[in-house]
Amino acid sequence: MPPQSGISTTQVARDGPASSSLELPSVEKVLSELPEGSTSLSPRGAETLDSEDQSKMLRALKNAIENSEATTGTGNNFDLKELHASLEQADADARGRRRKESLDSAKAILDQLWNCNSDLLSQAAEILANNSRDPSWRTLFGQSGILKFFLDVISANFEVEVGLLLHSLRLVGNSCADTNENRQIVVDGNHILAIMRHFLNPALIQVAIPVIYNICMDFEPAHAQIAENRAAYILLRLIKDTPIQGNDALLSFSYDLVELASEQAQGIENSPDGTILLLMEHAVDEQTSFEQYATLVNSLSAYLEKERFQNACVSNGLVERLLSTLQRSFSIQIDSSSKEDVQALAQARLKINQALGEVSASPLFAESYPLDSPLSQTLKTWIVASEDQLQICACIMLGNLARSDEVCQAMVKDLKIHEELISVLNSDARGAVLHSALGFLKNLAIAGDNRLSLGEAGIIPAVSRLWAFESVPQVQFSAASIARQVIISSMDNISRLLEPLPEGPDSPAQPRTYLSLLLTLFEKSDSSPIKTEIGRSVASICRTVSPKARDGDEKATSLLEKLYTLDESVARPLGAMVTQTQWPVVRSEGWFALALMATTTSGCTAVANCLQNEELIEILKKTVAPTDETEETDKTQVAKDRDNIFVLVQELLKNEAGGLPREYRGILEDLMTEHAPRHLEGKTA
């Protein structure tokens, strides 16, 4: 067995909120937990063979290799072009036969040298290893059994001299370069673990790592095997604790292998928890190059997709280190003229942010990092940072903390986070930053008391400018959704939505409100979700204001007048709620809001404007007179819709003042005559 390097088990003290520590098992311990390999070789034989005979065998092996390269002349000087191709093929076939015969004899010599425990076996291995650099030998080494012989030497569970192991590794590595047949021999015999065990030998590690690299490159079966044998953790630990750190070529091979292993699900499952700590430590190391950093981030993001490692990250106080990994991306040196480097850096930041989002979504995160923790305070400062990805990170992680009314209210009342978020909306931030800030604000707006605070801080003017943000539809949708959220049951915020826009040099003669801008977005947008969200905002206004106006509330009555007189198209978004087919509950909400509108004369004008739509009328008729094909699960919903439609039509026919074309009025009158149920006569919405 190879001598052990004495790498010890270490424990890393947490700098987070928990109290235990994370173990980093030594490479020896990790390897000891993996099954021992097998070899078909018995310990070196006791056969006797004098030194002269051994030397003869070595010369015979050398001659067998060298003579197979010799060519035999024909004794002729013919230069017939038509024979050239066939002669060339015949020569190639002859060389192939000579080589195969030579290697068969070489394999027999190797067996003899092994069985007589010859000291010359290392020299024989060196000769063959040197020749294995020639690509034309590689397949034959596999077919002749020579490759398998040296794999068994490497896998021996008894002591083998270092020189023999060194040349055995060289031969295996050279034979597997770009040669899948030989790679498969290695994988089928599960020899990868045996090769990895020689990582512990300082005299062999610089050969063993490139050997694994040659076996794995572009050969998927080998990727799975190194992953199963915990190669990612082992290599990361070796990079941390051995002289490999000073060898650029070995580092490059090692990092590539770490990434290959991290792409395999089984490799992640088998890895110790400490793998993520090592990935982070190397990523933030000032000596780590950008290429290595990108590889480490790719691997780290793969681990943190798994709940086990997310929980390990939180419970072991590693979230701060993960934030440092993101911060490192802003100081690491790249070739800014290289499009590939610039794109790779952007991808690395995106992947770290995705990982932070996953980690902060863990239930453990809120327990371990409360609002008054240093990490939360750091994130709060990042909301208005100059780097986009730090802002996005802060919005996502703090947004994931905002999962209860208590936390949301503390964020607004005590920390005033909403004010910083609104300042982001008013800035020239990019779409991705705006989208993350809006997502955070939507979480904050759920808590009842927060809606008023958001309104007072200017949320409606802030989001109104984003309703025209056509380059990123997700921003438009979120901005429209925020408007709906903050006006729910809030007369004050509804008043703000209906406030006149600030006057400018190009202001129209007809006063316009913030709602006017929302309705403009409705007319311009092709997005059904955006149209539906705007409809739900109008429906929310009706639900809150109409009952109060009916009870004589002067403020509510004034708001209704504004709603119906300033924008005659105000009911059209409700029509979009009815015509969409994805959410039956939203459709019902639309019918109910239209019925509420129809209870006033000014509201009837808006409803009449909305109903001049053939698709809407057809849905209305179909709902009023449902067929037997209606699904049982839909019948209750349809019955509610029918009741709301009848109230709508009844109020419309009573209150509309000529705004409805005769054709449409006739259709509605016929429906009432034929289908109106008695229990709804005289009922209002």
Side-chain angles (χ1 to χ4, degrees):
M1 292 293 289
Q4 296 186 340
S5 62
I7 302 170
S8 63
T9 299
T10 61
Q11 289 186 324
V12 178
R14 295 181 182 171
D15 53 4
S19 57
S20 63
S21 54
L22 183 64
E23 183 178 341
L24 293 177
S26 67
V27 175
E28 295 99 317
K29 185 175 188 300
V30 172
L31 288 172
S32 70
E33 294 170 350
L34 297 171
E36 288 286 345
S38 61
T39 178
S40 61
L41 292 176
S42 57
R44 301 289 288 273
E47 293 183 16
T48 58
L49 198 64
D50 62 41
S51 58
E52 180 60 30
D53 287 338
Q54 293 179 33
S55 296
K56 286 180 181 178
M57 283 195 293
L58 182 62
R59 287 195 297 271
L61 182 143
K62 187 175 182 180
N63 289 335
I65 298 297
E66 291 176 350
N67 289 340
S68 71
E69 296 293 343
T71 57
T72 304
T74 63
N76 297 304
N77 293 316
F78 294 120
D79 188 19
L80 301 175
K81 292 183 178 179
E82 62 268 22
L83 292 178
H84 182 269
S86 60
L87 287 173
E88 187 178 63
Q89 182 60 49
D91 185 51
D93 292 343
R95 288 199 306 273
R97 286 194 299 274
R98 282 195 301 276
R99 288 185 165 199
K100 180 66 168 66
E101 292 165 0
S102 298
L103 291 186
D104 287 342
S105 64
K107 172 61 167 61
I109 292 171
L110 290 173
D111 289 335
Q112 285 183 285
L113 291 174
W114 176 270
N115 290 330
C116 71
N117 199 14
S118 172
D119 293 335
L120 299 180
L121 186 56
S122 291
Q123 293 182 44
E126 183 176 8
I127 292 169
L128 292 169
N130 289 341
N131 280 275
S132 68
R133 291 179 295 193
D134 182 347
S136 63
W137 280 109
R138 292 170 185 167
T139 300
L140 291 172
F141 275 13
Q143 293 173 351
S144 65
I146 287 178
L147 173 62
K148 179 64 167 61
F149 175 87
F150 286 106
L151 284 169
D152 284 335
V153 171
I154 291 168
S155 303
N157 52 11
F158 44 83
E159 187 172 349
V160 177
E161 60 266 32
V162 171
L164 177 56
L165 288 170
L166 176 67
H167 296 305
S168 298
L169 287 167
R170 287 181 57 223
L171 183 139
V172 171
N174 290 336
S175 298
C176 289
D178 301 317
T179 309
N180 285 351
E181 294 173 48
N182 289 348
R183 290 166 170 169
Q184 193 64 54
I185 292 171
V186 177
V187 169
D188 289 345
N190 195 23
H191 294 290
I192 282 180
L193 178 58
I195 298 170
M196 288 173 53
R197 291 188 189 280
H198 295 294
F199 289 173
L200 291 171
N201 190 326
L204 298 176
I205 186 173
Q206 296 193 20
V207 179
I209 289 175
V211 169
I212 295 292
Y213 183 85
N214 273 6
I215 295 168
C216 288
M217 280 305 98
D218 303 316
F219 192 62
E220 187 70 26
H223 301 178
Q225 203 163 94
I226 64 166
E228 183 180 352
N229 290 314
R230 307 180 186 178
Y233 178 86
I234 288 170
L235 287 164
L236 289 166
R237 189 68 202 269
L238 289 171
I239 293 170
K240 176 181 173 66
D241 295 332
T242 68
I244 187 177
Q245 186 63 250
N247 188 314
D248 290 343
L250 283 187
L251 279 174
S252 178
F253 294 146
S254 299
Y255 279 122
D256 284 347
L257 290 169
V258 167
E259 186 170 16
L260 286 178
S262 300
E263 291 170 352
Q264 305 293 316
Q266 191 168 5
I268 293 176
E269 291 168 6
N270 289 346
S271 288
D273 287 352
T275 307
I276 56 172
L277 172 58
L278 291 174
L279 286 165
M280 293 179 207
E281 282 189 347
H282 292 313
V284 300
D285 190 328
E286 293 294 327
Q287 302 303 313
T288 299
S289 70
F290 171 65
E291 184 179 5
Q292 295 163 355
Y293 173 83
T295 295
L296 291 163
V297 168
N298 289 339
S299 301
L300 182 58
S301 66
Y303 277 87
L304 291 177
E305 287 176 1
K306 305 298 182 183
E307 184 178 356
R308 169 193 155 198
F309 286 99
Q310 293 167 13
N311 291 341
C313 182
V314 176
S315 61
N316 289 285
L318 300 181
V319 181
E320 292 89 344
R321 292 177 188 260
L322 190 52
L323 290 179
S324 297
T325 305
L326 176 60
Q327 286 179 295
R328 173 81 175 104
S329 72
F330 295 100
S331 61
I332 199 164
Q333 295 296 312
I334 69 164
D335 180 0
S336 56
S337 66
S338 166
K339 182 183 294 184
E340 290 77 14
D341 279 9
V342 172
Q343 290 177 342
L345 180 60
Q347 279 295 110
R349 288 172 179 164
L350 180 63
K351 287 185 176 182
I352 300 172
N353 258 341
Q354 289 173 337
L356 284 163
E358 294 287 345
V359 167
S360 60
S362 162
L364 288 176
F365 181 74
E367 299 173 13
S368 303
Y369 295 95
L371 282 182
D372 58 355
S373 68
L375 182 137
S376 295
Q377 297 300 315
T378 296
L379 291 174
K380 184 176 181 293
T381 66
W382 284 9
I383 292 175
V384 291
S386 58
E387 293 86 3
D388 290 359
Q389 292 301 321
L390 296 185
Q391 291 181 282
I392 292 170
C393 172
C395 290
I396 292 173
M397 296 186 72
L398 290 174
N400 282 339
L401 277 181
R403 292 185 167 189
S404 69
D405 283 0
E406 181 183 3
V407 172
C408 288
Q409 287 171 339
M411 284 182 167
V412 170
K413 182 179 178 181
D414 301 331
L415 301 183
K416 309 295 183 185
I417 283 178
H418 65 298
E419 295 178 359
E420 293 171 340
L421 290 168
I422 290 172
S423 74
V424 172
L425 302 187
N426 286 321
S427 72
D428 59 355
R430 290 173 52 244
V433 177
L434 295 171
H435 189 247
S436 60
L438 287 165
F440 189 2
L441 282 164
K442 283 174 69 174
N443 280 8
L444 296 179
I446 293 173
D449 292 347
N450 282 357
R451 297 189 190 108
L452 182 58
S453 298
L454 291 174
E456 292 172 345
I459 186 68
I460 288 176
V463 296
S464 70
R465 61 184 290 269
L466 302 181
W467 298 334
F469 205 87
E470 297 178 359
S471 59
V472 186
Q474 300 95 320
V475 168
Q476 285 185 311
F477 173 77
S478 294
S481 185
I482 283 280
R484 178 186 66 81
Q485 205 131 25
V486 298
I487 64 173
I488 294 173
S489 302
S490 174
M491 290 285 287
D492 288 337
N493 285 343
I494 291 172
S495 297
R496 293 185 174 98
L497 188 64
L498 293 172
E499 283 179 0
L501 295 172
E503 292 187 7
D506 299 322
S507 297
Q510 176 71 15
R512 302 185 72 210
T513 65
Y514 288 104
L515 179 62
S516 303
L517 299 180
L518 201 54
L519 296 175
T520 298
L521 171 59
F522 174 84
E523 298 295 342
K524 287 184 175 181
S525 179
D526 294 326
S527 166
S528 177
I530 287 176
K531 286 179 173 289
T532 300
E533 199 70 2
I534 295 170
R536 295 185 71 194
S537 294
V538 175
S540 182
I541 295 172
C542 294
R543 279 182 174 274
T544 300
V545 179
S546 292
K548 294 180 182 295
R550 196 163 51 212
D551 292 340
D553 186 301
E554 293 183 5
K555 182 177 180 180
T557 302
S558 173
L559 288 175
L560 277 187
E561 287 302 313
K562 280 187 181 181
L563 179 68
Y564 299 140
T565 57
L566 293 180
D567 295 289
E568 64 178 16
S569 62
V570 69
R572 289 183 187 174
L574 300 177
M577 295 173 67
V578 170
T579 55
Q580 61 82 34
T581 57
Q582 191 171 358
W583 302 286
V585 173
V586 172
R587 183 175 59 239
S588 297
E589 189 181 350
W591 285 127
F592 180 74
L594 285 169
L596 284 174
M597 275 193 178
T599 58
T600 66
T601 302
S602 55
C604 275
T605 302
V607 173
N609 180 293
C610 171
L611 288 180
Q612 295 177 45
N613 177 312
E614 290 187 11
E615 181 184 6
L616 190 57
I617 287 293
E618 286 303 312
I619 293 173
L620 186 149
K621 289 161 63 175
K622 184 178 179 180
T623 306
V624 167
T627 65
D628 293 336
E629 297 177 1
T630 304
E631 294 286 340
E632 192 65 35
T633 54
D634 295 337
K635 286 184 177 179
T636 301
Q637 194 75 52
V638 170
K640 291 180 180 178
D641 291 352
R642 291 181 76 233
D643 284 355
N644 284 327
I645 289 172
F646 282 125
V647 172
L648 160 65
V649 174
Q650 177 179 281
E651 294 295 325
L652 183 61
L653 293 177
K654 179 173 67 176
N655 294 319
E656 72 98 6
L660 195 64
R662 182 176 300 176
E663 175 189 358
Y664 287 104
R665 184 176 179 91
I667 292 172
L668 298 179
E669 287 174 341
D670 290 343
L671 286 173
M672 288 297 291
T673 301
E674 295 175 18
H675 300 287
R678 287 183 173 275
H679 72 277
L680 290 176
E681 290 183 4
K683 184 174 181 179
T684 60

